[in-house]
Amino acid sequence: THFGFETVAEEQKEKKVAEVFSSVAQKYDIMNDLMSLGLHRVWKHFAIQVSGVREGDRVLDVAGGTADLSLAFSRKVGRKGQVWLTDINHAMLSRGRDRLVDNGFAMPVAQCNAEKLPFPDDWFDCVTVAFGLRNMTHKDVALAEMRRVLRPGGRLLVLEFSRVWKPLSPFYDLYSFKLLPWMGQKVANDADSYRYLAESIRMHPGQEELKSMMEQAGLSRVDYFNLSAGVVALHRGYKL
Ligand code: SAM
């Protein structure tokens, strides 16, 4: 705005996101299992199935963090393929890189902002972003960047928290605003970061809104799958 309020808010968001992920990096994987009751593995498995990634493909994992998706894709693409693990946060990325190496994969890693990807146009067969988009300051810019680096015919998959089926929302609210920060405090000694996570989930666009955002970013044939009654949605769009 004229007074620069927006810029201040944006800077604060970026700082907050950096703090949160530097702070949760060490306990990220165990907290993921606890908080989602192991369901994040099922959601990611579904995304991998839907991705249709095959041997020899080039895959970009945006906001890839501790490399759950990158690991699974590395197994799929084989020696002829390529998987890039990228994230803006050094602490998350280095855990991800260590996990790839520990599992015998020497895949490339890059620390970068999804809003400015260091890759050429028309390069990847598949781009994925799992539980990362809601943390991005300019989601429209990030979506356009992800589309830019896709080859024509390539697909973008966005796995993200979404709007839960209405009758379940009182329980979901109780869970995310009370139980989640409590667990964060007990397990990671960090209630604040988990309170931020719950709030960021609530602020994120719902199924239909994200679908239109992807269409506005130039993706085609956009559709989505609700997972666990809409707690999470997997959106898919193509660059045609
Ligand atoms: N994709 C991983 C997964 O599903 O387990 C990690 C998800 S974690 C909840 C969100 C990740 O998004 C963090 O590692 C964070 O550093 C990253 N992130 C936030 N803003 C980003 C941005 N603008 N560009 C790239 N990564 C970003």
Side-chain angles (χ1 to χ4, degrees), residues 103-120:
N103 282 275
F105 294 105
M107 293 298 182
V109 168
Q111 186 175 0
C112 59
N113 190 336
E115 295 174 17
K116 204 170 185 313
L117 293 169
F119 301 103

Side-chain angles (χ1 to χ4, degrees), residues 17 21 28 32 44 63-66 68 87-89 92 112-114 130-132 134-136:
V17 169
F21 287 105
Y28 181 79
N32 249 0
K44 285 170 182 162
T66 56
D68 276 355
D87 200 285
I88 200 170
N89 187 285
M92 293 290 285
C112 59
N113 190 336
F131 306 108
R134 73 172 187 284
N135 299 300
M136 292 170 194

Side-chain angles (χ1 to χ4, degrees), residues 14 17-18 21-22 24 28-29 32 40 44 61-69 85-90 92-93 99 112-117 129-138 142 159-161 197:
E14 275 159 32
V17 169
F21 287 105
S22 299
V24 301
Y28 181 79
D29 293 317
N32 249 0
H40 77 106
K44 285 170 182 162
D61 186 9
V62 173
T66 56
D68 276 355
L69 286 187
L85 169 66
T86 64
D87 200 285
I88 200 170
N89 187 285
H90 184 262
M92 293 290 285
L93 197 61
R99 268 183 87 206
C112 59
N113 190 336
E115 295 174 17
K116 204 170 185 313
L117 293 169
V129 55
F131 306 108
L133 189 67
R134 73 172 187 284
N135 299 300
M136 292 170 194
T137 315
H138 307 102
L159 188 65
E160 191 51 90
F161 291 103
L197 290 184

Side-chain angles (χ1 to χ4, degrees), residues 189-203:
N189 197 18
D190 184 1
D192 260 7
S193 294
Y194 289 91
R195 210 165 284 127
Y196 162 79
L197 290 184
E199 274 159 21
S200 70
I201 291 170
R202 231 31 69 88
M203 305 280 286

Side-chain angles (χ1 to χ4, degrees), residues 11-208:
E11 275 171 14
Q12 275 169 350
K13 173 165 175 155
E14 275 159 32
K15 212 170 138 234
K16 183 77 195 165
V17 169
E19 271 170 25
V20 164
F21 287 105
S22 299
S23 144
V24 301
Q26 290 300 318
K27 298 268 177 159
Y28 181 79
D29 293 317
I30 183 171
M31 279 304 290
N32 249 0
D33 275 332
L34 266 178
M35 288 183 321
S36 71
L37 311 168
L39 278 173
H40 77 106
R41 292 169 187 258
V42 180
W43 299 328
K44 285 170 182 162
H45 182 77
F46 183 76
I48 291 152
Q49 296 306 312
V50 167
S51 74
V53 165
R54 289 181 301 197
E55 208 178 327
D57 277 358
R58 288 198 284 247
V59 182
L60 172 63
D61 186 9
V62 173
T66 56
D68 276 355
L69 286 187
S70 288
L71 252 178
F73 285 130
S74 300
R75 296 196 170 102
K76 280 206 174 284
V77 302
R79 284 182 180 283
K80 287 190 216 123
Q82 205 179 67
V83 178
W84 276 87
L85 169 66
T86 64
D87 200 285
I88 200 170
N89 187 285
H90 184 262
M92 293 290 285
L93 197 61
S94 58
R95 281 187 74 86
R97 187 196 46 207
D98 289 352
R99 268 183 87 206
L100 284 172
V101 172
D102 290 348
N103 282 275
F105 294 105
M107 293 298 182
V109 168
Q111 186 175 0
C112 59
N113 190 336
E115 295 174 17
K116 204 170 185 313
L117 293 169
F119 301 103
D121 296 357
D122 305 334
W123 184 252
F124 292 101
D125 298 288
C126 180
V127 175
T128 56
V129 55
F131 306 108
L133 189 67
R134 73 172 187 284
N135 299 300
M136 292 170 194
T137 315
H138 307 102
K139 298 180 181 54
D140 52 341
V141 178
L143 288 170
E145 267 297 87
M146 294 186 235
R147 180 192 176 276
R148 178 184 67 76
V149 300
L150 274 175
R151 68 158 170 81
R155 60 260 171 228
L156 169 65
L157 294 175
V158 182
L159 188 65
E160 191 51 90
F161 291 103
S162 204
R163 289 287 174 277
V164 71
W165 185 48
K166 261 253 162 70
L168 290 184
S169 63
F171 304 102
Y172 186 58
D173 283 350
L174 193 72
Y175 176 77
S176 47
F177 285 116
K178 296 274 186 253
L179 212 61
L180 210 70
W182 181 81
M183 278 201 286
Q185 182 58 40
K186 290 280 167 220
V187 181
N189 197 18
D190 184 1
D192 260 7
S193 294
Y194 289 91
R195 210 165 284 127
Y196 162 79
L197 290 184
E199 274 159 21
S200 70
I201 291 170
R202 231 31 69 88
M203 305 280 286
H204 190 67
Q207 285 83 341
E208 283 297 322

